[in-house]
Amino acid sequence: MADADESAAFLRPSDDELGESSEDDLSPEQLKHSVLRYIPPRIRKAGKAVARWTKGPNPPRIYKIKPIFPQVQEAPIKLLDRYLPKKRHKFLLLIAFYFLWLLCFSLVLHKSAFSSDVPGYGSPVRLSCGASYWANGNGCGLNGDQCRPFSNSTLTFRCPANCKRVEVINPHAVGDQEVVYKPLVVGGPTDPSDPISSSIYRGDSFICGSAIHSGFFSDTEGGCGVLRLVGEQSNYPSTKANGIGSIGFDSYFPRSFSFIASTASRCADLRWPLLGVSLTFTILLSLFTTSPGIFFWSLYVGLFFHVALVSDPPSLADYYSLVSLALGRFLPASFCAYVVYRFCVIRSLTGLTAQVEKTILWLGACWVGCLNNYTFDRIPIQRLTPSDIKAQPGAVPALISIVLIIFSIALGQAWAIRREGRMRKYLAVYGIFVAVILILVAIPRMNVRIHHYILGMLLIFGTAMQNRPSLLYQGLLFGLFINGIARWGFDSILQTPGELRGDAPLGTELPGLGIPPIIHNNFGTSMPGNVTFDFSRTVIPRDKGFDGISVLVNDVERFRAYEGGIYGSENDEGVGSFTWVRRNVSMPEYFRFGFMSGSSAGDYSKAGVWSVDGGWTHPKPGPSL
């Protein structure tokens, strides 16, 4: 028997021989077992448990909303069926409904968008909320010559509503101050009882924000009017009025403006009456239709153009350009809307007769998302970068709260998806999404930016079921998608560091003063004092493309010189020195220094201060704007 067993063992191939010689001939089941034997039993057991859990209950439990107080919620449908029982009657009513909606919307929009001339001054120019008369850094050129005239000129302008919310999101220098997360309004009335014409604002102030601050018109309606350039002014006060705190500046600036009180014109931004029109028609449509297609596509078109033309329009000079831009974004957005409708909305709304709940949850949440500039824009988070989150008050607790809320919602939706037996499909879909994002993150010299329209598109597929939370989340996410495209367009998910930086510091080298400035105060004489900066020991980084130095005095470029004194010279004679004569002995002077590359400047240093008592305060480390 022993000999027979040994012979049998000799004739039976070993496991290694079997794996090597017959691996290609194994069935899928045999191959699976051959792989699994290398996985520890505990891990195999846990994997099987996870697989069973993700499969969900058998049979799946499909959600279906049963209306609360069905007689009340279904009353609009029964009323329509009673008086218009035939389809052609309902079709004609729908066409009349669309016509009336378009007519009311167009009439109010025309009155809001196209204002009459301001008597004696002509037609107003449409401004954005962030429009100003002065460019950052040396954007206005030497002595500000590219931003002339400084005085004896007027501008007839129009501002939209809701400009008070527009703030500086990158530090902006005003003398030795750095303004951030505030409206850029420098100056204002010295006394609240003073007339509007006495409210003087520095030339780089936001025009619309300054008009609101002065009381020229209200933030809720915007308005038209005329401003007058009043040339060089000094001692701009810091005051708080009409919800805006202005910034003080204790020196002089070459360009300032005020408002001509008698020209305030009633050309109000009628976005709130238009919101009433759109809300009325969308609510009626939601209550009286059960067709997912009619409901979804009617709302999509109406809300898209409401955002693009009324509630959050892009900053363009006229409404004809605005309509053209909106139409250009509408068609590609419609393809994305079809994908959402085909894979999400049909599943959520088919067979739903809870008309009031649909109106409150889906439509109400969609409006909240569409009005993002009034709802989620209030959250104190501008950008998800560590420096911005640290700098903006309230950003850290807001971010923690948002993450916790999103995590809780995701868990609830994942549980609901599992109950419907679709967990595995969703894991595959979102696994692909995550993989694509990780691949994009790995691309060098590019940054991934998840805009809110992208966030809406990614998350909305997790709401494709008919329960009340999904109606709420689906409407909200689709509203965010509409707002993102109608306002900003299809911004790329991949952006260069320069695109994300905007007007933030470039990160370039800063000039260092080789020796302290030479100051002649000349107190007690008729001669004005002066200060001289010697740049002979300042090394210009030619390897970084720089060939000169620029100096700002009170935020205006007053000196620009290149090596050898001539732009493009190859010798290394340095840029010499710069002497500045004090203009007013009772005011400080602020100096900032930056390297030049041709006519473009890099970052400027923080301000060095020549104080009223004649002392010098050296610039602190780091750049300013």
Side-chain angles (χ1 to χ4, degrees), residues 46 81 99 142 230 345 377 408 438 452 503 516 538 554 576 596 609 615:
D81 289 338
F99 175 77
L142 195 61
V230 294
V345 176
D377 247 13
S408 301
L438 291 177
H452 59 278
D503 59 357
T538 301
N554 293 340
M596 295 287 296
V609 185

Side-chain angles (χ1 to χ4, degrees), residues 77-94:
I77 305 171
K78 293 177 179 178
L79 182 67
L80 195 63
D81 289 338
R82 180 179 177 182
Y83 290 100
L84 296 172
K86 296 183 179 181
K87 286 186 177 182
R88 67 173 181 271
H89 296 157
K90 294 176 182 177
F91 175 76
L92 292 174
L93 177 63
L94 184 63

Side-chain angles (χ1 to χ4, degrees), residues 62-132:
I62 306 301
Y63 286 95
K64 188 74 175 178
I65 293 178
K66 293 182 180 180
I68 303 171
F69 303 115
Q71 291 183 342
V72 175
Q73 297 206 56
E74 295 172 4
I77 305 171
K78 293 177 179 178
L79 182 67
L80 195 63
D81 289 338
R82 180 179 177 182
Y83 290 100
L84 296 172
K86 296 183 179 181
K87 286 186 177 182
R88 67 173 181 271
H89 296 157
K90 294 176 182 177
F91 175 76
L92 292 174
L93 177 63
L94 184 63
I95 296 300
F97 177 84
Y98 287 153
F99 175 77
L100 185 61
W101 187 359
L102 180 61
L103 178 64
C104 294
F105 186 84
S106 301
L107 290 175
V108 181
L109 179 63
H110 185 273
K111 183 175 178 59
S112 174
F114 299 96
S115 57
S116 58
D117 293 352
V118 177
Y121 292 94
S123 180
V125 175
R126 180 181 173 85
L127 299 181
S128 67
C129 291
S132 72

Side-chain angles (χ1 to χ4, degrees), residues 106-236:
S106 301
L107 290 175
V108 181
L109 179 63
H110 185 273
K111 183 175 178 59
S112 174
F114 299 96
S115 57
S116 58
D117 293 352
V118 177
Y121 292 94
S123 180
V125 175
R126 180 181 173 85
L127 299 181
S128 67
C129 291
S132 72
Y133 259 120
W134 198 269
N136 289 344
N138 70 334
C140 283
L142 195 61
N143 298 316
D145 288 341
Q146 295 177 20
C147 291
R148 290 182 179 274
F150 295 158
S151 60
N152 299 322
S153 180
T154 60
L155 172 69
T156 308
F157 68 97
R158 173 175 188 159
C159 289
N162 198 31
C163 281
K164 187 169 66 176
R165 69 182 178 89
V166 177
E167 301 175 335
V168 180
I169 62 173
N170 290 312
H172 180 91
V174 177
D176 60 347
Q177 308 171 72
E178 288 195 347
V179 181
V180 65
Y181 298 122
K182 291 181 63 175
L184 183 57
V185 177
V186 183
T190 54
D191 190 319
S193 61
D194 289 344
I196 290 176
S197 58
S198 68
S199 300
I200 308 297
Y201 296 91
R202 209 173 87 154
D204 57 346
S205 300
F206 292 162
I207 294 173
C208 295
S210 300
I212 295 168
H213 180 263
S214 69
F216 193 57
F217 47 67
S218 69
D219 178 59
T220 55
E221 293 185 338
C224 299
V226 179
L227 65 78
R228 175 186 290 118
L229 294 177
V230 294
E232 183 175 299
Q233 299 290 320
S234 58
N235 286 324
Y236 301 85

Side-chain angles (χ1 to χ4, degrees), residues 10 13 53 113 125 140 148 159 204 241 260-261 294 331 336-337 344 355 410 418 490 504 533 543 562 578 608 625:
F10 178 79
W53 186 87
V125 175
C140 283
R148 290 182 179 274
C159 289
D204 57 346
I260 304 176
I294 294 174
L331 290 179
C336 299
C344 300
Q355 301 297 89
R418 175 189 171 273
F490 286 90
F533 300 93
D543 58 327
Y562 301 91
F578 166 54
L625 282 179

Side-chain angles (χ1 to χ4, degrees), residues 477-498:
L477 292 170
F478 191 64
L480 288 175
F481 166 78
I482 290 176
N483 177 270
I485 302 302
R487 174 61 179 90
W488 305 104
F490 286 90
D491 266 3
S492 174
I493 192 173
L494 277 181
Q495 294 185 313
T496 63

